[in-house]
Amino acid sequence: MRLATRADGSRDGTLIVVSDDVRRCLSAGMTLQAALDDWTRSEPVLRALSERLAAGQGDRLDVATLLAPLPRAWQWLDGSAFPTHGDLMQQAFNLPPIETDRPLMYQGMSHRFLSGREDVPLPDEADGIDFEGEFAVVTGDVPMGCTPEDALGHIRLVLLLNDWSLRTIAPVEMKTGFGWVQAKPACSVAPFAVTPDALGTAWANGRVCLPLTVEINGEWFGSPVGDAMAHGFHDLVAHAARSRDLPAGTIIGSGTVSNANHADVGSTCLSERRAIDAIAGRAMTPFLRFGDRVTMHAGELFGRIDQRVVQG
């Protein structure tokens, strides 16, 4: 099942169910957050709308009217579950290893998620404008102490998102010991949220087994595959819920999708490419400039993120 949120003048928009051919839709008459809050009742209603779409019913879908699936969320927790990414950063910039077997995670800005088509306003090119291609999940209500095995059953939806990052600010904030604020502006999310079953065999062991393709100004940058996570999404959900419950609508990210064979499949963020450049002893790839366009997709399942960076 494929879901989206259509702009209606409100902050949260209107939830719609989208046909498999991405041409038609039917309104659910609620917000996605409302559906997540009462998933036991809302899921059968949404499935029935999906069946009507499969039978040829529905209104024409205009992707340009779509917001992020969840325009704002109760919580955004981002992991760093791809070990190759961390290893490259440590090697290139002489960073001390993070000696833990626990998943890495921080809590970021969640009161606004950008759509996959709107311009991205940022204050200054000197901040080191970077993108991070990630997969993410949206949970239902998760009880405190939930096990990884049970956590799979609390994952409602899967997303594709771009975790925008300002790299020259990040080291300054990290040194304070209090985490990121200015270095992490609003994320962008591809237009369609899909249920795990819609992924078919591409959803396995709590991982999205699809290549995430990134292009900059129309040129290919990378297509690493999402199954190389050291910790699956069920592990990340359980980690986040160890000492607290999670409300329905919590979004949890995978961190930068990264593969060990990066020489062949490329990367999904500039910082990783710059680390590879540094290790190879060549000039570093520059960060983004105003006017640059970043595109991300994983086939057509989630739709596309296609945005320009502009001065805010």
Side-chain angles (χ1 to χ4, degrees), residues 78-94:
D78 197 13
S80 183
F82 291 87
T84 294
H85 178 71
D87 292 345
L88 286 170
M89 302 299 287
Q90 291 167 10
Q91 181 180 351
F93 304 117
N94 197 28

Side-chain angles (χ1 to χ4, degrees), residues 93-147:
F93 304 117
N94 197 28
L95 300 174
I98 300 174
E99 296 180 354
T100 181
D101 57 0
R102 295 183 179 184
L104 303 177
M105 185 175 289
Y106 76 93
Q107 186 161 353
M109 168 184 165
S110 64
H111 69 268
R112 184 186 181 199
F113 289 89
L114 302 174
S115 80
R117 290 199 167 199
E118 62 186 298
D119 288 345
V120 181
L122 294 169
D124 195 334
E125 290 178 345
D127 291 337
I129 302 170
D130 196 359
F131 51 84
E132 293 187 56
E134 303 191 20
F135 293 110
V137 297
V138 184
T139 74
D141 289 306
V142 182
M144 182 176 69
C146 179
T147 66

Side-chain angles (χ1 to χ4, degrees), residues 1-4 16-27 46 49-61 63 66 192-194 198 300-301:
M1 184 166 57
R2 181 184 281 111
L3 306 178
I16 59 174
V17 184
V18 178
S19 63
D20 289 342
D21 62 8
V22 198
R23 295 181 178 178
R24 290 167 291 111
C25 64
L26 286 169
S27 174
L46 300 177
L49 292 173
S50 183
E51 290 174 3
R52 288 174 55 189
L53 288 165
Q57 299 181 37
D59 305 315
R60 186 181 68 86
L61 175 67
V63 178
L66 300 182
F192 306 128
V194 302
E300 298 304 324
L301 188 64

Side-chain angles (χ1 to χ4, degrees), residues 51-312:
E51 290 174 3
R52 288 174 55 189
L53 288 165
Q57 299 181 37
D59 305 315
R60 186 181 68 86
L61 175 67
D62 182 359
V63 178
T65 66
L66 300 182
L67 305 174
L70 265 179
R72 54 180 177 166
W74 286 110
Q75 194 162 214
W76 157 235
L77 302 170
D78 197 13
S80 183
F82 291 87
T84 294
H85 178 71
D87 292 345
L88 286 170
M89 302 299 287
Q90 291 167 10
Q91 181 180 351
F93 304 117
N94 197 28
L95 300 174
I98 300 174
E99 296 180 354
T100 181
D101 57 0
R102 295 183 179 184
L104 303 177
M105 185 175 289
Y106 76 93
Q107 186 161 353
M109 168 184 165
S110 64
H111 69 268
R112 184 186 181 199
F113 289 89
L114 302 174
S115 80
R117 290 199 167 199
E118 62 186 298
D119 288 345
V120 181
L122 294 169
D124 195 334
E125 290 178 345
D127 291 337
I129 302 170
D130 196 359
F131 51 84
E132 293 187 56
E134 303 191 20
F135 293 110
V137 297
V138 184
T139 74
D141 289 306
V142 182
M144 182 176 69
C146 179
T147 66
E149 293 75 20
D150 289 341
L152 275 176
H154 295 292
I155 293 173
R156 303 290 184 241
L157 300 167
V158 184
L159 307 173
L160 168 66
L161 63 80
N162 182 356
D163 176 30
W164 292 99
S165 299
L166 303 178
R167 297 299 189 184
T168 61
I169 298 176
V172 178
E173 292 193 314
M174 289 174 69
K175 288 179 181 178
T176 68
F178 279 84
W180 291 305
V181 176
Q182 295 179 356
K184 290 291 187 178
C187 298
S188 301
V189 188
F192 306 128
V194 302
T195 49
D197 62 280
L199 287 162
T201 57
W203 177 251
N205 195 26
R207 293 160 171 82
V208 180
C209 308
L210 292 172
L212 196 166
T213 296
V214 178
E215 297 174 355
I216 303 177
N217 298 324
E219 295 188 5
W220 180 84
F221 189 82
S223 299
V225 182
D227 61 358
M229 297 170 71
H231 302 280
F233 279 112
H234 54 310
D235 299 310
L236 299 182
V237 171
H239 174 76
R242 181 183 179 277
S243 59
R244 54 177 170 171
D245 62 332
L246 306 179
T250 295
I251 302 176
I252 297 181
S254 66
T256 305
V257 177
S258 179
N259 291 172
N261 60 332
H262 49 79
D264 299 318
V265 301
S267 301
T268 63
C269 81
L270 287 166
S271 187
E272 179 172 301
R273 177 65 60 82
R274 288 166 62 88
I276 295 167
D277 292 338
I279 294 168
R282 57 180 179 248
M284 287 191 188
T285 302
F287 289 119
L288 296 177
R289 307 290 299 273
F290 294 138
D292 285 341
R293 182 177 292 276
V294 177
T295 304
M296 295 184 182
H297 66 87
E300 298 304 324
L301 188 64
F302 303 97
R304 290 180 175 242
I305 295 173
D306 187 359
Q307 298 177 293
R308 288 187 315 133
V309 179
V310 299
Q311 186 164 22

